[in-house]
Amino acid sequence: MTPTNLFAAVPKRSARAASAPFLPMSRAEMDALGWDQCDVILVTGDAYIDHPSFGMALVGRLLEAQGYKVGIISQPDWLSVDPFRALGKPRLYFGITAGNMDSMVNRYTADRKPRSDDAYTPDGAPNKRPDRAVTVYAQRAREAYPGTPVVIGSIEASLRRIAHYDYWSDKVRKSVLTESKADLLIFGNAERALVDMTRRMDAGENIKDIKDLRGTAFLVPLGWMPGEDWGVHNSTRVDVPGRIDPHPDPYAMAKEDKKECATENAAPEPTVKPIRIMTREERQAMAKEKHNRTVVRLPSYDVVKDDPVMYAHASRVFHLESNPGNARALVQQHGDRDVWMNPPPLPLAMDEMDNVYDMEYTRAPHPSYGNANIPAWEMIRFSVNIMRGCFGGCTFCSITEHEGRIIQSRSEPSILREIEHIRDKTKGFTGIISDLGGPTANMYRLTCKDKAIEESCRRLSCVYPSICVNLNTNHNKLTQLYRKAREIKGVKKILIQSGLRYDLAVRSPEYVKELVTHHVGGLLKIAPEHTESGVLSKMMKPGIGAYDEFKAMFEKYSIEAGKKQYLIPYFIAAHPGTTDEDMLNLALWLKKNNFRLDQVQTFMPTPMAMASAMYHSRKNPLHKVTEDSEVVETPRNQKQRTAHKAFLRYYDPKNWPILRDALRRMGRGDLIGNGEKHLIPFWQAGEENFKAAPEGKRAMPMAAPGAKTAAKPRAGVPGTRSGREAMGVVGRGARANALTGSLTARESTETKVRPSILDTIKVKAKPAAAPAAPAKGGRPPAAPRGRK
């Protein structure tokens, strides 16, 4: 498993003609290139956009740079096999990906309702990809050309490589390898594995014999081992690690001839070996060699599907074996076969990262889409990816499971060259770079101070429960990059829109000053996620005090710069470990700080995330899991999840009936009223139209159950049928302005109106996009970039 430099032996030739800037999507384009056959055909659930933030473009360009002929089949009609034959039979293999997002996250909301649009499709059209697209596409590719190798990858394959909890079917599903029948799964940002595999297949090696590449998983016979010198470590510590000798046959008959017995049946003479004195370095090398030849056996699928405690245990072991420096291979039984997972890929060196992003991308959608608007493309059109990976370890996030915890950064010259390329060649550029970032805006060039410590570390996060003393938190390299980028001729403004890790930022005040003074376009998104310590401990997020510290610094430097700028905090409702009281306290904090959130998020369990293990098992895999270990109470029923989300938008009239019911159930009816101390008002005249009463109009108090009234009941008033119906109906909600990513419902629930700090902000609306998961080789162009 020795790492191979991606561009160590790149052929001199290119598989693509200069007159054809895009990889072919049709036979006509292949004919124009003079191709009879593609070497590799990539199938994707996204529109084909030739930009390094889109996985199929990055993989296609990478293989093209190796001299291979690569074709693209984008968003095929999965109801027929014909679209999978559009480019003919590939010479080497089909590469299957669902796209930049898991197809289930892409198609359904946290309430399991179908989404009305798809940000990765022309004009945002929905239903252009199937559920569990990797499996469906792989099966169709098999039907199109039986016997052709099928390789699966991308975020969906990465997060489903072992038995995993599936939120949409509410059960534990098998590895995607068993369902898709793929020959090989490449997980994470495994460019090196992809290139090595393709070279070896091109040299004539059978894909079923390629079992030694890091970042790959495959099916093998039960009990298969790479060699006789390998050992097994059972994750439950039931089995003894090491080789198991076969038991002697008790029914074997020994020969009676004494002479022959003495020579053939007697035990051989013991071999005398001299005692060898080894140095410390030799002992460490021997231990490391033994470690590298040990596989950890996870509880089988049949066990974890029925035993939530064992599922949480498997999740914990899986995440502990995620550091490329010390991770061992993992194996999990699925029926009569094993799913074998080699250790995660080694991070790319800086020159390799540069080569990946310096390739000749057109940074545009394929011409076949015409003038169609592709929302995800519009969002990242003028952005630059400067790094990948995240060591934050947030339990609800999928970045760690996909891209890993080791930060891989590009060089400064490579980033600056890309900015110049955008300026000179990207249509519509107005001088504004929309983002310099990645999964996290401010982890660029942040690494462990000692490589040996990094390779031996088993922590799940470098910044929780506190920032590791061995972590370099100096932001000088990033500050210097910002300054040089601003000096490029033709660049008017550089914004930072990726998620900011504010507990790291406050360690470098000079960076915060640089950011606030030059790179905030009026609003800066950060994600404290919650205020209550119990919930934050399940998220592996810092306490709200870290937010307060950053907020003070942000406001100080904004005043010094003479700018009115605002922080936009993001929060999650119904996260594992969250109680009704936790959400109430968060709502009171929001009201106290005069925040009215418009875009809020309900927790969605994604495959293999640690928070998903909490949701399914009600156990905490951040610590040792046993039958008696900590129980994590989790909002699961829809009524409670809806109430938790309503607390985040306490000001919205359509949420008042839900919150009144929740507050009374919690014994907090004292928070219902029309004063400053109250969270939501009594029922108000006009509420049946789902908006607050006009300013100055007297609120109608809620009648107590069984109370008699002197006046005759009126339509729409509590106590009448129409009044009861009006109080329980959910409608259109409060009026909001055009500010994307924040909230400004202007109606106040208090008798004395107090405007929100966001009400005065006027910005141009941005195209909406579905929440995105990290793309192979590129950062997610949607929601996660605003959440750290």
Side-chain angles (χ1 to χ4, degrees), residues 228-273:
E228 293 183 356
D229 54 347
W230 276 69
V232 180
H233 184 112
N234 194 296
S235 68
T236 59
R237 299 185 181 276
V238 173
D239 296 334
V240 178
R243 293 179 56 190
I244 300 177
D245 295 325
H247 294 289
D249 184 355
Y251 300 101
M253 298 299 291
K255 297 180 181 180
E256 295 183 1
D257 186 280
K258 294 182 179 180
K259 185 177 180 180
E260 290 189 358
C261 285
T263 58
E264 294 186 20
N265 294 330
E269 289 292 329
T271 303
V272 178
K273 295 182 179 181

Side-chain angles (χ1 to χ4, degrees), residues 129 193 391 562 721:
R129 73 189 80 207
F391 50 67
R721 179 178 179 182

Side-chain angles (χ1 to χ4, degrees), residues 28 128 223 298 318 373 403 416 462 533 550 607 722:
K128 290 297 184 180
L298 299 174
F318 173 86
N373 175 63
E403 294 192 357
L416 298 179
C462 296
S533 58
F550 180 79
S722 61

Side-chain angles (χ1 to χ4, degrees), residues 441-582:
N442 61 318
M443 288 188 182
Y444 178 73
R445 304 287 292 271
L446 299 191
T447 60
C448 188
K449 295 177 180 178
D450 189 318
K451 188 68 175 177
I453 294 176
E454 178 185 88
E455 291 180 348
S456 62
C457 182
R458 305 279 284 181
R459 283 182 61 158
L460 297 176
S461 170
C462 296
V463 291
Y464 184 86
S466 60
I467 297 175
C468 179
V469 295
N470 296 306
L471 179 66
N472 169 31
T473 60
N474 191 308
H475 286 53
N476 287 349
K477 294 287 186 181
L478 186 54
T479 302
Q480 178 180 321
L481 173 64
Y482 287 175
R483 290 170 179 167
K484 290 187 177 181
R486 291 200 311 270
E487 294 173 357
I488 295 177
K489 186 177 180 180
V491 173
K492 301 175 183 177
K493 183 85 173 176
I494 293 178
L495 300 174
I496 305 302
Q497 297 192 43
S498 294
L500 187 77
R501 191 79 196 200
Y502 51 87
D503 52 342
L504 284 174
V506 296
R507 294 286 189 96
S508 298
E510 183 182 6
Y511 167 76
V512 179
K513 183 175 183 179
E514 187 79 13
L515 174 75
V516 172
T517 305
H518 300 286
H519 302 285
V520 176
L523 306 174
L524 181 66
K525 298 177 290 185
I526 61 173
E529 307 296 7
H530 218 283
T531 57
E532 305 307 290
S533 58
V535 184
L536 292 170
S537 70
K538 303 301 185 295
M539 297 177 171
M540 289 211 296
K541 292 284 290 186
I544 197 66
Y547 165 82
D548 294 332
E549 183 180 359
F550 180 79
K551 180 174 181 288
M553 197 175 288
F554 177 88
E555 292 175 345
K556 171 188 174 184
Y557 292 131
S558 291
I559 292 173
E560 289 182 4
K563 297 181 176 181
K564 290 185 178 181
Q565 300 182 142
Y566 305 94
L567 289 177
I568 306 300
Y570 281 73
F571 296 91
I572 294 179
H575 190 278
T578 307
T579 64
D580 295 345
E581 288 72 21
D582 290 330

Side-chain angles (χ1 to χ4, degrees), residues 125-378:
N127 304 317
K128 290 297 184 180
R129 73 189 80 207
D131 291 352
R132 302 180 178 87
V134 164
T135 295
V136 176
Y137 290 162
Q139 292 172 349
R140 281 288 184 258
R142 285 274 193 220
E143 293 177 35
Y145 296 105
T148 300
V150 172
V151 180
I152 58 176
S154 80
I155 185 77
E156 181 167 312
S158 279
L159 300 188
R160 298 174 183 270
R161 59 188 184 265
I162 62 172
H164 55 279
Y165 172 70
D166 183 81
Y167 172 66
W168 299 271
S169 57
D170 195 24
K171 67 179 183 180
V172 176
R173 297 180 69 96
K174 293 182 178 181
S175 165
V176 69
L177 274 166
T178 66
E179 297 181 343
S180 67
K181 305 296 190 294
D183 295 288
L184 194 69
L185 184 156
I186 298 182
F187 59 84
N189 295 118
E191 288 96 344
R192 190 177 287 115
L194 180 72
V195 170
D196 284 349
M197 177 202 69
T198 307
R199 288 175 178 173
R200 288 167 64 171
M201 290 182 67
D202 190 27
E205 191 169 351
N206 192 312
I207 190 171
K208 295 187 181 298
D209 297 329
I210 301 177
K211 291 180 166 57
D212 58 348
L213 295 177
R214 297 184 71 113
T216 62
F218 41 85
L219 289 169
V220 293
L222 192 63
W224 176 88
M225 288 285 176
E228 293 183 356
D229 54 347
W230 276 69
V232 180
H233 184 112
N234 194 296
S235 68
T236 59
R237 299 185 181 276
V238 173
D239 296 334
V240 178
R243 293 179 56 190
I244 300 177
D245 295 325
H247 294 289
D249 184 355
Y251 300 101
M253 298 299 291
K255 297 180 181 180
E256 295 183 1
D257 186 280
K258 294 182 179 180
K259 185 177 180 180
E260 290 189 358
C261 285
T263 58
E264 294 186 20
N265 294 330
E269 289 292 329
T271 303
V272 178
K273 295 182 179 181
I275 297 176
R276 180 185 172 193
I277 307 299
M278 293 187 294
T279 65
R280 179 184 178 188
E281 289 73 19
E282 288 176 324
R283 291 196 304 273
Q284 289 177 337
M286 182 176 291
K288 185 175 182 180
E289 182 66 20
K290 182 179 179 181
H291 177 92
N292 292 339
R293 293 185 179 275
T294 299
V295 61
V296 177
R297 179 166 287 280
L298 299 174
S300 71
Y301 164 74
D302 287 331
V303 170
V304 298
K305 74 181 178 65
D306 297 323
D307 190 336
V309 174
M310 292 304 291
Y311 181 89
H313 161 77
S315 175
R316 174 169 170 78
V317 173
F318 173 86
H319 285 86
L320 288 173
E321 298 292 338
S322 62
N323 182 345
N326 58 55
R328 292 167 286 188
L330 300 173
V331 65
Q332 185 178 51
Q333 181 180 352
H334 284 62
D336 60 353
R337 292 183 295 178
D338 281 338
V339 172
W340 182 284
M341 290 155 285
N342 283 323
L346 295 174
L348 296 185
M350 182 174 286
D351 64 328
E352 292 178 307
M353 283 282 287
D354 288 351
N355 286 330
V356 167
Y357 287 92
D358 284 348
M359 292 185 293
E360 296 181 12
Y361 302 96
T362 62
R363 302 181 65 90
H366 190 273
S368 63
Y369 301 124
N371 295 322
N373 175 63
I374 304 175
W377 149 244
E378 295 295 339

Side-chain angles (χ1 to χ4, degrees), residues 421-435:
H421 180 87
I422 294 173
R423 177 197 63 190
D424 298 336
K425 299 182 180 180
T426 303
K427 184 178 179 180
F429 181 63
T430 60
I432 299 176
I433 298 294
S434 60
D435 188 30

